Amino acid sequence: NTYAASGYLPPGLYLSSDGIISGIPSQAGMFTFDVTATDSGIPAQTVTKNYSITVLAGLPATGVNDQRNSNLSTILLIAFNGF
């Protein structure tokens, strides 16, 4: 399967063709986008779902006992259901 996003992912976040969202968001707010999944069948089948991500600014990194992560200002948890 391959995945593609359209719409408004938060600045600094990216969706790979494997369907993985990664990066560090650089702007707070609510962002709405579509993810289209395409299989490798012949003919290819596609499905598109709408998602929203809310990025909260200024949250301290919690639950992480790693000094390398002590400067994070945003924690983002994303759960994809239904693909």
Side-chain angles (χ1 to χ4, degrees):
N1 294 338
T2 60
Y3 301 85
S6 60
Y8 300 101
L9 274 168
L13 293 184
Y14 307 93
L15 177 70
S16 73
S17 61
D18 297 1
I20 298 169
I21 294 178
S22 61
I24 298 173
S26 61
Q27 181 180 338
M30 188 171 110
F31 302 87
T32 301
F33 59 98
D34 293 330
V35 174
T36 300
T38 304
D39 71 13
S40 58
I42 299 174
Q45 301 291 310
T46 63
V47 63
T48 300
K49 289 199 170 195
N50 183 265
Y51 293 93
S52 64
I53 293 176
T54 300
V55 177
L56 303 175
L59 292 176
T62 59
V64 178
N65 292 324
D66 187 341
Q67 291 299 321
R68 293 173 298 173
N69 293 320
S70 63
N71 292 328
L72 294 178
S73 62
T74 304
I75 295 175
L76 179 66
L77 176 63
I78 302 167
F80 280 99
N81 294 317
F83 263 135

Coordinates of all heavy atoms in Angstrom, one line a residue:
N1 N 0.8 -1.2 0.0 CA 0.0 0.0 0.0 C 0.9 1.2 0.0 O 2.0 1.2 0.6 CB -0.9 0.0 1.2 CG -1.9 -1.1 1.2 OD1 -2.3 -1.6 0.2 ND2 -2.4 -1.4 2.4
T2 N 0.4 2.3 -0.6 CA 1.0 3.6 -0.5 C 0.0 4.6 0.0 O -1.2 4.4 -0.1 CB 1.6 4.1 -1.9 OG1 0.5 4.2 -2.8 CG2 2.6 3.1 -2.4
Y3 N 0.5 5.7 0.6 CA -0.3 6.7 1.2 C 0.1 8.1 0.8 O 1.3 8.3 0.6 CB -0.2 6.6 2.8 CG -0.6 5.2 3.3 CD1 0.3 4.2 3.4 CD2 -1.9 5.0 3.7 CE1 0.0 3.0 3.9 CE2 -2.2 3.8 4.2 CZ -1.3 2.8 4.3 OH -1.7 1.5 4.8
A4 N -0.9 8.9 0.6 CA -0.6 10.3 0.2 C -1.5 11.2 1.0 O -2.7 10.9 1.3 CB -0.8 10.5 -1.3
A5 N -1.1 12.4 1.4 CA -1.9 13.4 2.1 C -2.2 14.6 1.2 O -1.4 15.0 0.4 CB -1.1 13.8 3.4
S6 N -3.4 15.1 1.4 CA -3.8 16.4 0.8 C -4.5 17.2 1.9 O -5.0 16.6 2.8 CB -4.6 16.1 -0.4 OG -5.8 15.5 0.0
G7 N -4.4 18.5 1.8 CA -5.0 19.3 2.8 C -3.9 20.0 3.6 O -2.8 20.3 3.0
Y8 N -4.1 20.1 4.9 CA -3.2 20.9 5.7 C -2.6 20.1 6.9 O -3.2 20.1 8.0 CB -3.9 22.1 6.2 CG -4.3 23.0 5.1 CD1 -5.7 23.0 4.7 CD2 -3.4 23.8 4.5 CE1 -6.1 23.8 3.7 CE2 -3.9 24.6 3.4 CZ -5.2 24.6 3.0 OH -5.6 25.4 2.0
L9 N -1.5 19.4 6.7 CA -0.8 18.8 7.8 C -0.1 19.9 8.5 O 0.3 20.9 7.9 CB 0.3 17.8 7.3 CG -0.1 16.4 7.0 CD1 1.0 15.7 6.2 CD2 -0.4 15.7 8.3
P10 N 0.1 19.8 9.8 CA 0.8 20.9 10.5 C 2.2 21.1 9.9 O 2.8 20.2 9.5 CB 0.9 20.3 12.0 CG -0.2 19.4 12.1 CD -0.3 18.8 10.7
P11 N 2.6 22.4 9.8 CA 3.9 22.7 9.3 C 5.0 21.9 10.1 O 4.9 21.8 11.3 CB 4.1 24.2 9.5 CG 2.7 24.7 9.6 CD 1.9 23.6 10.2
G12 N 5.9 21.2 9.4 CA 6.9 20.4 10.1 C 6.6 19.0 10.1 O 7.4 18.2 10.5
L13 N 5.3 18.6 9.8 CA 5.0 17.1 9.8 C 4.8 16.7 8.3 O 4.3 17.5 7.5 CB 3.7 16.9 10.5 CG 3.7 17.1 12.0 CD1 2.3 16.7 12.6 CD2 4.8 16.3 12.7
Y14 N 5.2 15.4 8.1 CA 5.1 14.9 6.7 C 4.6 13.5 6.8 O 4.8 12.7 7.7 CB 6.6 14.9 6.1 CG 7.2 16.2 6.2 CD1 8.0 16.5 7.3 CD2 7.0 17.2 5.3 CE1 8.6 17.8 7.4 CE2 7.6 18.4 5.4 CZ 8.4 18.7 6.4 OH 8.9 20.0 6.5
L15 N 3.9 13.1 5.7 CA 3.3 11.7 5.6 C 4.2 11.0 4.6 O 4.3 11.5 3.4 CB 1.9 11.8 5.2 CG 1.3 10.4 4.9 CD1 1.1 9.6 6.2 CD2 -0.1 10.5 4.2
S16 N 4.8 9.9 4.9 CA 5.6 9.2 4.0 C 4.7 8.3 3.1 O 3.5 8.1 3.5 CB 6.6 8.3 4.7 OG 6.0 7.2 5.4
S17 N 5.2 7.8 2.1 CA 4.4 6.9 1.2 C 4.1 5.6 1.9 O 3.2 4.9 1.5 CB 5.2 6.6 -0.1 OG 6.4 6.0 0.1
D18 N 4.8 5.3 3.1 CA 4.5 4.1 3.9 C 3.3 4.4 4.9 O 2.9 3.5 5.6 CB 5.7 3.7 4.7 CG 6.9 3.3 3.9 OD1 6.8 3.3 2.6 OD2 7.9 2.9 4.4
G19 N 2.9 5.7 4.9 CA 1.8 6.0 5.8 C 2.2 6.5 7.2 O 1.4 6.5 8.1
I20 N 3.5 6.8 7.4 CA 4.0 7.3 8.7 C 4.1 8.8 8.7 O 4.7 9.4 7.8 CB 5.4 6.6 8.9 CG1 5.3 5.1 9.0 CG2 6.0 7.2 10.2 CD1 6.6 4.4 9.0
I21 N 3.5 9.4 9.7 CA 3.6 10.8 9.9 C 4.8 11.0 10.8 O 4.9 10.4 11.9 CB 2.3 11.4 10.5 CG1 1.2 11.3 9.5 CG2 2.5 12.9 10.9 CD1 -0.2 11.8 10.0
S22 N 5.7 11.9 10.4 CA 6.8 12.2 11.2 C 7.2 13.6 11.1 O 6.7 14.4 10.3 CB 8.0 11.3 10.8 OG 8.4 11.6 9.4
G23 N 8.1 14.0 12.0 CA 8.5 15.4 12.1 C 8.2 16.1 13.4 O 7.7 15.4 14.3
I24 N 8.5 17.3 13.5 CA 8.2 18.1 14.7 C 7.3 19.3 14.3 O 7.8 20.1 13.5 CB 9.5 18.6 15.4 CG1 10.3 17.4 15.8 CG2 9.1 19.5 16.6 CD1 11.7 17.8 16.3
P25 N 6.1 19.3 14.8 CA 5.2 20.4 14.4 C 5.8 21.8 14.8 O 6.3 21.9 15.9 CB 3.9 20.1 15.0 CG 4.2 19.2 16.1 CD 5.5 18.5 15.7
S26 N 5.7 22.8 14.0 CA 6.2 24.1 14.3 C 5.2 25.1 14.5 O 5.5 26.3 14.8 CB 7.2 24.6 13.2 OG 6.4 24.7 12.0
Q27 N 3.9 24.7 14.5 CA 2.8 25.7 14.7 C 1.7 25.0 15.4 O 1.3 23.9 15.1 CB 2.3 26.2 13.3 CG 1.2 27.2 13.3 CD 0.8 27.7 11.9 OE1 1.6 27.6 11.0 NE2 -0.4 28.2 11.8
A28 N 1.1 25.7 16.4 CA 0.0 25.2 17.1 C -1.3 25.5 16.3 O -1.4 26.3 15.4 CB -0.1 25.9 18.5
G29 N -2.3 24.6 16.6 CA -3.6 24.8 15.9 C -4.2 23.5 15.5 O -3.6 22.4 15.8
M30 N -5.4 23.5 14.9 CA -6.0 22.3 14.4 C -5.9 22.3 12.9 O -6.1 23.3 12.2 CB -7.5 22.3 14.7 CG -8.2 21.0 14.4 SD -9.9 20.9 15.0 CE -10.7 21.0 13.5
F31 N -5.5 21.2 12.4 CA -5.2 21.0 11.0 C -6.0 19.8 10.4 O -6.0 18.7 11.0 CB -3.7 20.8 10.8 CG -2.8 21.9 11.3 CD1 -2.5 21.9 12.6 CD2 -2.5 23.0 10.5 CE1 -1.7 22.9 13.1 CE2 -1.7 24.0 11.0 CZ -1.3 24.0 12.3
T32 N -6.6 20.0 9.3 CA -7.4 19.0 8.7 C -6.8 18.5 7.4 O -6.4 19.4 6.6 CB -8.9 19.5 8.5 OG1 -9.4 19.9 9.8 CG2 -9.8 18.4 7.9
F33 N -6.8 17.2 7.1 CA -6.2 16.7 5.9 C -6.8 15.4 5.6 O -7.5 14.8 6.4 CB -4.7 16.6 6.0 CG -4.3 15.7 7.1 CD1 -3.9 14.4 6.9 CD2 -4.2 16.1 8.5 CE1 -3.6 13.5 7.9 CE2 -3.9 15.2 9.5 CZ -3.5 13.9 9.2
D34 N -6.7 15.0 4.3 CA -7.1 13.7 3.8 C -5.9 12.8 3.6 O -4.9 13.3 3.2 CB -7.9 13.8 2.5 CG -9.2 14.6 2.6 OD1 -9.8 14.5 3.7 OD2 -9.6 15.2 1.6
V35 N -6.1 11.5 3.9 CA -5.1 10.5 3.6 C -5.7 9.5 2.6 O -6.8 9.0 2.9 CB -4.6 9.8 4.8 CG1 -3.7 8.6 4.5 CG2 -3.9 10.7 5.8
T36 N -5.0 9.4 1.5 CA -5.5 8.4 0.5 C -4.6 7.2 0.5 O -3.4 7.4 0.4 CB -5.5 9.0 -0.9 OG1 -6.4 10.2 -0.9 CG2 -6.0 8.0 -2.0
A37 N -5.1 6.0 0.7 CA -4.4 4.8 0.6 C -4.7 4.1 -0.7 O -5.9 4.0 -1.1 CB -4.8 3.9 1.8
T38 N -3.6 3.6 -1.3 CA -3.8 2.9 -2.6 C -3.1 1.6 -2.5 O -1.9 1.5 -2.1 CB -3.2 3.7 -3.8 OG1 -3.7 5.0 -3.8 CG2 -3.4 3.1 -5.1
D39 N -3.8 0.5 -2.9 CA -3.1 -0.8 -2.8 C -2.4 -1.1 -4.1 O -2.4 -0.3 -5.1 CB -4.1 -1.9 -2.4 CG -5.1 -2.2 -3.6 OD1 -4.9 -1.8 -4.7 OD2 -6.1 -2.9 -3.3
S40 N -1.7 -2.3 -4.2 CA -0.9 -2.6 -5.3 C -1.7 -3.5 -6.3 O -1.1 -4.1 -7.2 CB 0.4 -3.2 -4.9 OG 0.1 -4.4 -4.1
G41 N -3.0 -3.7 -6.1 CA -3.7 -4.6 -6.9 C -3.9 -4.1 -8.3 O -3.6 -2.9 -8.7
I42 N -4.4 -4.9 -9.2 CA -4.7 -4.6 -10.6 C -6.2 -4.9 -10.8 O -6.5 -6.1 -10.8 CB -3.8 -5.3 -11.6 CG1 -2.4 -5.0 -11.3 CG2 -4.2 -5.0 -13.0 CD1 -1.4 -5.7 -12.2
P43 N -7.0 -3.9 -11.0 CA -6.7 -2.5 -10.9 C -6.5 -2.1 -9.4 O -7.1 -2.7 -8.5 CB -8.0 -1.8 -11.4 CG -9.1 -2.8 -11.1 CD -8.5 -4.2 -11.2
A44 N -5.8 -1.0 -9.2 CA -5.5 -0.5 -7.9 C -6.8 0.0 -7.2 O -7.7 0.6 -7.9 CB -4.5 0.7 -7.9
Q45 N -7.0 -0.2 -6.0 CA -8.1 0.2 -5.2 C -7.6 1.4 -4.3 O -6.5 1.3 -3.7 CB -8.7 -0.9 -4.3 CG -9.2 -2.1 -5.1 CD -10.4 -1.8 -6.0 OE1 -11.4 -1.2 -5.5 NE2 -10.3 -2.1 -7.2
T46 N -8.5 2.4 -4.1 CA -8.1 3.5 -3.2 C -9.2 3.8 -2.2 O -10.4 3.5 -2.5 CB -7.8 4.8 -4.0 OG1 -8.9 5.2 -4.7 CG2 -6.6 4.6 -5.0
V47 N -8.8 4.3 -1.1 CA -9.8 4.8 -0.1 C -9.2 6.1 0.5 O -8.0 6.2 0.7 CB -10.1 3.8 1.0 CG1 -8.8 3.4 1.8 CG2 -11.2 4.2 1.9
T48 N -10.0 7.1 0.7 CA -9.6 8.4 1.3 C -10.4 8.6 2.6 O -11.6 8.4 2.6 CB -9.9 9.5 0.3 OG1 -9.1 9.2 -0.9 CG2 -9.4 10.8 0.9
K49 N -9.7 9.0 3.6 CA -10.3 9.3 4.9 C -9.8 10.7 5.3 O -8.7 11.1 5.1 CB -10.0 8.3 5.9 CG -10.6 7.0 5.7 CD -10.7 6.2 7.0 CE -11.6 5.0 6.8 NZ -11.9 4.3 8.0
N50 N -10.7 11.4 6.0 CA -10.4 12.7 6.5 C -9.9 12.6 8.0 O -10.5 11.9 8.8 CB -11.6 13.6 6.4 CG -11.3 15.0 6.9 OD1 -11.6 15.3 8.0 ND2 -10.8 15.8 6.0
Y51 N -8.9 13.3 8.3 CA -8.3 13.4 9.7 C -8.1 14.8 10.1 O -7.9 15.7 9.3 CB -7.0 12.6 9.8 CG -7.2 11.1 9.6 CD1 -7.0 10.6 8.3 CD2 -7.5 10.3 10.6 CE1 -7.1 9.2 8.1 CE2 -7.6 8.9 10.4 CZ -7.4 8.4 9.1 OH -7.6 7.1 8.9
S52 N -8.0 15.0 11.4 CA -7.6 16.3 12.0 C -6.6 16.0 13.1 O -6.7 15.0 13.8 CB -8.8 17.1 12.5 OG -9.4 16.5 13.5
I53 N -5.6 16.9 13.2 CA -4.6 16.9 14.2 C -4.6 18.2 14.9 O -4.6 19.3 14.3 CB -3.2 16.6 13.6 CG1 -3.1 15.3 13.0 CG2 -2.1 16.8 14.7 CD1 -1.7 15.0 12.3
T54 N -4.7 18.2 16.2 CA -4.5 19.4 17.0 C -3.2 19.4 17.7 O -2.8 18.4 18.4 CB -5.6 19.5 18.1 OG1 -6.9 19.4 17.4 CG2 -5.5 20.7 18.9
V55 N -2.4 20.4 17.4 CA -1.1 20.6 18.0 C -1.2 21.7 19.1 O -1.7 22.8 18.9 CB -0.1 21.1 17.0 CG1 1.3 21.3 17.6 CG2 0.0 20.0 15.8
L56 N -0.8 21.3 20.3 CA -0.8 22.2 21.4 C 0.6 22.7 21.7 O 1.5 22.0 21.7 CB -1.3 21.5 22.7 CG -2.7 20.8 22.6 CD1 -3.0 20.0 23.8 CD2 -3.8 21.8 22.3
A57 N 0.7 24.0 21.8 CA 2.0 24.7 22.0 C 2.3 24.8 23.5 O 1.4 24.9 24.3 CB 2.0 26.0 21.4
G58 N 3.6 24.7 23.8 CA 4.1 25.0 25.1 C 3.9 23.9 26.1 O 4.1 24.2 27.3
L59 N 3.6 22.7 25.7 CA 3.5 21.6 26.7 C 4.9 21.1 27.0 O 5.7 20.8 26.1 CB 2.7 20.5 26.1 CG 1.2 20.8 25.9 CD1 0.5 19.6 25.3 CD2 0.5 21.1 27.2
P60 N 5.2 20.9 28.2 CA 6.5 20.3 28.5 C 6.5 18.8 28.1 O 5.5 18.2 28.2 CB 6.6 20.4 30.0 CG 5.2 20.5 30.5 CD 4.4 21.2 29.4
A61 N 7.6 18.3 27.7 CA 7.8 16.9 27.4 C 7.6 16.1 28.7 O 8.4 16.3 29.7 CB 9.1 16.6 26.7
T62 N 6.7 15.2 28.8 CA 6.5 14.4 30.0 C 6.5 12.9 29.6 O 6.2 12.5 28.5 CB 5.1 14.7 30.6 OG1 4.1 14.5 29.7 CG2 5.0 16.2 31.1
G63 N 6.8 12.1 30.6 CA 6.8 10.7 30.4 C 8.1 10.2 29.6 O 8.1 9.1 29.2
V64 N 9.0 11.1 29.4 CA 10.2 10.8 28.7 C 11.4 11.0 29.6 O 11.6 12.2 30.0 CB 10.4 11.6 27.4 CG1 11.7 11.3 26.7 CG2 9.2 11.4 26.5
N65 N 12.2 10.0 30.0 CA 13.3 10.1 30.8 C 14.6 10.2 30.0 O 15.5 9.4 30.2 CB 13.4 9.0 31.9 CG 12.3 9.1 32.8 OD1 11.9 10.2 33.2 ND2 11.7 8.0 33.3
D66 N 14.6 11.1 29.0 CA 15.8 11.1 28.1 C 16.1 12.6 28.0 O 15.3 13.4 27.5 CB 15.4 10.5 26.8 CG 16.5 10.4 25.8 OD1 17.5 11.1 26.0 OD2 16.4 9.6 24.9
Q67 N 17.3 13.0 28.4 CA 17.7 14.4 28.3 C 17.7 14.9 26.9 O 17.5 16.1 26.7 CB 19.1 14.5 28.9 CG 19.2 14.3 30.4 CD 18.3 15.3 31.1 OE1 18.2 16.5 30.8 NE2 17.6 14.8 32.2
R68 N 17.9 14.1 25.9 CA 17.9 14.5 24.5 C 16.5 15.1 24.1 O 16.4 15.9 23.2 CB 18.2 13.4 23.5 CG 19.6 12.9 23.7 CD 19.9 11.7 22.8 NE 19.0 10.7 23.3 CZ 18.8 9.5 22.7 NH1 19.4 9.2 21.6 NH2 18.0 8.6 23.2
N69 N 15.5 14.7 24.8 CA 14.1 15.2 24.5 C 13.6 16.3 25.4 O 12.5 16.7 25.3 CB 13.1 14.0 24.6 CG 13.4 13.0 23.5 OD1 13.7 13.3 22.4 ND2 13.3 11.7 23.8
S70 N 14.5 16.8 26.2 CA 14.1 17.8 27.2 C 13.7 19.1 26.6 O 13.0 19.9 27.3 CB 15.2 18.0 28.3 OG 16.3 18.5 27.7
N71 N 14.1 19.4 25.4 CA 13.7 20.7 24.8 C 12.5 20.6 23.9 O 12.1 21.6 23.3 CB 14.9 21.2 23.9 CG 16.1 21.5 24.7 OD1 16.0 22.0 25.8 ND2 17.3 21.3 24.2
L72 N 11.8 19.5 23.9 CA 10.6 19.4 23.1 C 9.5 20.3 23.7 O 9.3 20.3 24.9 CB 10.0 18.0 23.0 CG 10.9 17.0 22.3 CD1 10.3 15.6 22.4 CD2 11.1 17.4 20.9
S73 N 8.8 21.0 22.9 CA 7.7 21.9 23.4 C 6.4 21.4 23.0 O 5.4 21.9 23.5 CB 7.9 23.3 22.8 OG 7.8 23.3 21.4
T74 N 6.3 20.3 22.2 CA 5.0 19.8 21.8 C 5.1 18.3 21.8 O 6.0 17.7 21.3 CB 4.6 20.3 20.4 OG1 4.7 21.7 20.4 CG2 3.3 19.8 20.0
I75 N 4.0 17.6 22.3 CA 3.9 16.2 22.2 C 2.7 15.9 21.4 O 1.6 16.5 21.6 CB 3.8 15.5 23.6 CG1 5.0 15.8 24.4 CG2 3.4 14.1 23.5 CD1 4.9 15.3 25.8
L76 N 2.8 15.0 20.4 CA 1.7 14.8 19.5 C 1.5 13.3 19.4 O 2.4 12.5 19.3 CB 2.2 15.3 18.1 CG 1.2 15.1 16.9 CD1 0.0 15.9 17.2 CD2 1.9 15.5 15.6
L77 N 0.2 12.9 19.7 CA -0.1 11.5 19.6 C -1.2 11.3 18.5 O -2.2 12.0 18.5 CB -0.8 11.1 20.9 CG -1.3 9.7 21.0 CD1 -0.2 8.6 20.8 CD2 -2.0 9.4 22.3
I78 N -0.9 10.5 17.6 CA -1.8 10.3 16.4 C -2.2 8.8 16.4 O -1.3 7.9 16.5 CB -1.0 10.6 15.1 CG1 -0.5 12.0 15.1 CG2 -1.9 10.4 13.9 CD1 0.4 12.3 14.0
A79 N -3.4 8.6 16.2 CA -3.9 7.2 16.1 C -4.8 7.1 14.8 O -5.7 7.9 14.6 CB -4.8 6.8 17.3
F80 N -4.3 6.3 13.9 CA -5.1 6.0 12.7 C -6.0 4.8 12.9 O -5.5 3.7 13.3 CB -4.2 5.8 11.5 CG -3.6 7.0 10.9 CD1 -2.4 7.4 11.2 CD2 -4.4 7.8 10.0 CE1 -1.8 8.6 10.7 CE2 -3.9 8.9 9.5 CZ -2.6 9.3 9.8
N81 N -7.3 4.9 12.7 CA -8.2 3.8 12.8 C -8.9 3.6 11.5 O -9.3 4.6 10.9 CB -9.2 4.1 13.9 CG -8.6 4.2 15.3 OD1 -7.8 3.4 15.6 ND2 -9.0 5.2 16.1
G82 N -9.0 2.4 11.1 CA -9.9 2.1 10.0 C -9.2 1.9 8.6 O -9.8 1.5 7.7
F83 N -7.9 2.1 8.6 CA -7.2 1.8 7.3 C -6.8 0.4 7.3 O -6.3 -0.2 8.2 CB -6.0 2.7 7.0 CG -6.3 3.9 6.2 CD1 -5.8 5.1 6.5 CD2 -7.0 3.7 5.0 CE1 -6.1 6.2 5.8 CE2 -7.3 4.8 4.2 CZ -6.8 6.1 4.6

